[in-house]
Amino acid sequence: MRWLVTGFGAFEDVSDNVTSHVAPLMGEPFHILEVSYQAVDEFLTSLDPESFDALLALGHDKRADRIRIETLGRNVIGPRPDVRGYLPPSPQTGSDTVPASLWNLIGLQDCDHWTISEDAGDYLCNYMLYQASKTFPSKLIGFLHLPPAEVVSLEEQSAGIRELMNFVQSAVGTNLQTQG
């Protein structure tokens, strides 16, 4: 399975976004995006859908105490402008919600390493999940919110993410064998 991982750069009072450190640790092709609506749109528009099977986007949550698996993208944009000072209209054209298709393949439960969420917020993380899912409906799309490195080390976060990726990889292999 061909993975593509994204992280985000600095924003607001987050000068060192943990996702910009974790994304490269995954050992897969990755991109670090500016925390702007236009940067997300340009990135998604530039992607060749034949170049990846699964897109795993990472976002930072300074309040998190473990990895948060976001299972739903919502068609909502909150009142905070991006790092360029831009705030697009809300809602966008499209359905109210889209599921994160990556997590549909595996049975997820809260554990010591992660928790499950249906609320990716109303800022760039949610926007990335929602837009990626709309743009690539036939691809596996997922989003994870990561805690600060002071709360969960980069090594522990990358190990937890790799475990999730392995679960997905195994489920995809099982589904392909069942269909074949």
Side-chain angles (χ1 to χ4, degrees), residues 123-150:
Y123 196 46
L124 264 294
C125 294
N126 177 68
Y127 185 79
M128 175 67 168
L129 174 56
Y130 184 82
Q131 291 301 114
S133 297
K134 269 184 35 180
T135 304
F136 301 106
S138 65
K139 299 294 180 179
L140 298 173
I141 308 295
F143 194 94
L144 300 173
H145 267 115
L146 305 183
E150 305 81 50

Side-chain angles (χ1 to χ4, degrees), residues 13-35:
D13 63 343
V14 178
S15 60
D16 191 21
N17 193 323
V18 68
T19 67
S20 67
H21 299 288
V22 173
L25 294 176
M26 301 321 306
E28 302 291 344
F30 71 93
H31 292 274
I32 305 302
L33 303 173
E34 178 185 57
V35 180

Side-chain angles (χ1 to χ4, degrees), residues 35-49:
V35 180
S36 82
Y37 294 100
Q38 184 177 356
V40 168
D41 290 339
E42 288 172 355
F43 172 73
L44 293 174
T45 302
S46 73
L47 279 180
D48 174 4

Side-chain angles (χ1 to χ4, degrees), residues 76-173:
V76 62
I77 296 172
R80 296 163 41 201
D82 65 16
V83 298
R84 296 182 186 182
Y86 178 68
L87 184 62
S90 178
Q92 302 286 300
T93 303
S95 61
D96 290 342
T97 60
V98 291
S101 57
L102 192 61
W103 312 128
N104 290 341
L105 296 172
I106 55 178
L108 293 172
Q109 297 178 5
D110 286 357
C111 69
D112 290 342
H113 302 293
W114 58 73
T115 187
I116 314 301
S117 168
E118 290 185 346
D119 186 358
D122 62 4
Y123 196 46
L124 264 294
C125 294
N126 177 68
Y127 185 79
M128 175 67 168
L129 174 56
Y130 184 82
Q131 291 301 114
S133 297
K134 269 184 35 180
T135 304
F136 301 106
S138 65
K139 299 294 180 179
L140 298 173
I141 308 295
F143 194 94
L144 300 173
H145 267 115
L146 305 183
E150 305 81 50
V151 176
V152 179
S153 74
L154 297 176
E155 294 77 20
E156 289 177 274
Q157 291 190 50
S158 61
I161 295 167
R162 178 51 63 192
E163 185 176 354
L164 286 167
M165 292 169 77
N166 288 340
F167 287 155
V168 170
Q169 188 95 19
S170 181
V172 167

